[in-house]
Structure formats: structure tokens, C-alpha cells
């Protein structure tokens, strides 16, 4: 079961990364030098947040199944 959840998460995250996940995220990461330079930083931050949220959700689901 863990394997299925892990693989599903990896597929979802991969698809979001490949499609250029446009999430909101923290707009104050760096003083903007140019929009093009900060865009990859924002995207990486957004993907990282998405991964953390997915991991927390999976952990909670696993805890429910174990009870």
C-alpha cells in the first residue's frame, strides 16, 4: 500500500513539475532582480511545498489505516 501511495505521489509531482506548476507560494523570496531569474526559485519553492503537503496527507491516511 505504501508503494502505491509513494508511486502515485511521484507521478503527480512529476506531472506538475513538467507542466510548470503555477502555484502561489511566497512572493517575497528574494528582491526581484528580474522576473525570469526568480521564476525558477518560486517554482521550486511551490513544488517543495506541494511535496510536503502530499507527504503530510499520506502520513495521515496511513495513520488512519493503521488504527
Amino acid at each position: 500500500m505504501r508503494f502505491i501511495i509513494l508511486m502515485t505521489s511521484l507521478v503527480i509531482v512529476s506531472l506538475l513539475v513538467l507542466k510548470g506548476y503555477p502555484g502561489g507560494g511566497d512572493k517575497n523570496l528574494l528582491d526581484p532582480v528580474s522576473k525570469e531569474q526568480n521564476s525558477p526559485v518560486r517554482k521550486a519553492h511551490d513544488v517543495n511545498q506541494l511535496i510536503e503537503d502530499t507527504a503530510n496527507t499520506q502520513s495521515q491516511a496511513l495513520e488512519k489505516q493503521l488504527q
Side-chain angles (χ1 to χ4, degrees):
M1 185 65 180
R2 286 185 190 179
F3 180 74
I4 293 171
I5 293 173
L6 178 63
M7 292 307 293
T8 303
S9 299
L10 290 174
V11 168
I12 291 171
V13 170
S14 298
L15 288 174
L16 289 174
V17 169
L18 291 175
K19 295 213 177 226
Y21 178 68
D26 186 10
K27 303 289 184 202
N28 299 321
L29 292 176
L30 299 170
D31 291 333
V33 174
S34 77
K35 192 172 187 176
E36 292 141 3
Q37 289 176 345
N38 286 335
S39 180
V41 174
R42 273 192 224 110
K43 285 182 181 180
H45 180 267
D46 294 342
V47 170
N48 187 35
Q49 187 63 44
L50 178 67
I51 292 170
E52 288 178 13
D53 293 345
T54 303
N56 288 336
T57 303
Q58 290 176 353
S59 177
Q60 291 172 359
L62 185 60
E63 287 295 324
K64 282 184 181 180
Q65 287 180 355
L66 293 176
Q67 291 178 352

